[in-house]
Amino acid sequence: FCDPLINERNNEIWISLTFDVPELPVKQDSACGVDLGIRIAAATSEGKFYRDKKFNHEKRKLRFQKRKLRSAADRGSKTARRQLRKLGRKERNKNLNQTHHLTNKILSDSSASVIVLEDLTKLKRNLKKGNPYKNQNSISQVPFYQIRQVLTYKAPLYGKTVICVDPKYTSQIDHRTGKKDGARKGRRFYCKDGIVLDSDNNAAINIACLLYTSPSPRDRTR
């Protein structure tokens, strides 16, 4: 049992009780690449896909409600501002709940000892600079860092570790040849020899392969 944390929230006193949990020994003998996305939350190199249609529908509904209230809030409506804050908290809570469910499924379903993620810290930073991404509004809503953070602190409880690699060209390379000799179109990856692969699964396999081909993979524990 560690030191408790006491804080005040909305005129209420809260106490957080923390515990030290023993970590299982990690053997980096196998890797599972995870490709994070928008409609499909995650695809792994082991052939598993995670998509929650109900969550996506509820999130689109919340975003629509926020857009309707934002114009009224800009005109000075206090009721609209209050409703916007309420919807913002609801959206954050839903995202965090979905992140915990997603990370638990990835860790429990994977048989690998290393979970390999793309280092997407610069992605949203580039969006703010005005880069012409087709789905930049949708991309900005995906909690990439939150998923990585939760995966990182939960992985030792499963005897696993999380490593981030450079995301460069992971969606453009054919994992069978290791070359950029194919074309990605939506959910399909058309190879040079005529074979059609699932683009998300192909990217996830490339991410897993980077653990062994990258000269110095970075272990992000924070």
Side-chain angles (χ1 to χ4, degrees), residues 4-172:
L5 178 66
I6 300 176
N7 58 76
E8 180 186 359
R9 185 192 307 168
N10 298 329
N11 296 324
E12 295 179 346
I13 300 298
W14 291 72
I15 182 170
S16 301
L17 304 178
T18 57
F19 299 87
D20 275 333
V21 180
E23 298 181 359
L24 299 176
V26 178
K27 296 181 179 180
Q28 298 187 13
D29 54 356
S30 56
C32 174
V34 179
D35 180 52
L36 303 178
I38 302 173
R39 292 187 179 179
I40 296 181
T44 70
S45 58
E46 297 175 341
K48 294 183 173 60
F49 299 86
Y50 302 94
R51 180 180 182 181
D52 192 336
K53 293 183 178 180
K54 181 180 178 181
F55 169 76
N56 292 339
H57 172 73
E58 291 176 350
K59 188 169 184 177
R60 287 194 300 268
K61 185 177 178 180
L62 280 173
R63 301 292 296 186
F64 175 71
Q65 292 173 346
K66 289 174 67 176
R67 286 196 301 270
K68 289 200 303 182
L69 289 169
R70 192 165 288 116
S71 59
D74 292 338
R75 293 194 298 267
S77 173
K78 293 183 179 180
T79 302
R81 291 178 182 176
R82 185 169 61 252
Q83 289 297 322
L84 272 175
R85 289 194 295 268
K86 183 178 179 181
L87 290 176
R89 289 193 297 269
K90 186 175 182 179
E91 184 178 15
R92 287 193 296 271
N93 291 335
K94 280 185 173 293
N95 284 338
L96 182 58
N97 181 66
Q98 176 69 7
T99 297
H100 281 286
H101 283 293
L102 175 63
T103 53
N104 287 339
K105 287 292 293 180
I106 292 174
L107 291 171
S108 60
D109 292 348
S110 175
S111 58
S113 58
V114 181
I115 305 297
V116 188
L117 298 175
E118 294 175 298
D119 184 6
L120 300 175
T121 52
K122 296 182 180 180
L123 179 61
K124 293 186 179 180
R125 191 183 311 162
N126 292 335
L127 291 179
K128 294 179 181 179
K129 294 180 180 178
N131 285 8
Y133 285 97
K134 181 179 179 181
N135 299 319
Q136 59 179 350
N137 185 43
S138 300
I139 291 174
S140 64
Q141 300 172 27
V142 182
F144 294 121
Y145 180 75
Q146 186 182 75
I147 293 174
R148 190 182 84 178
Q149 191 179 38
V150 175
L151 263 177
T152 300
Y153 83 74
K154 285 189 175 184
L157 304 179
Y158 291 80
K160 306 177 189 294
T161 187
V162 175
I163 291 178
C164 291
V165 296
D166 189 353
K168 194 173 183 180
Y169 305 129
T170 53
S171 299
Q172 304 174 33

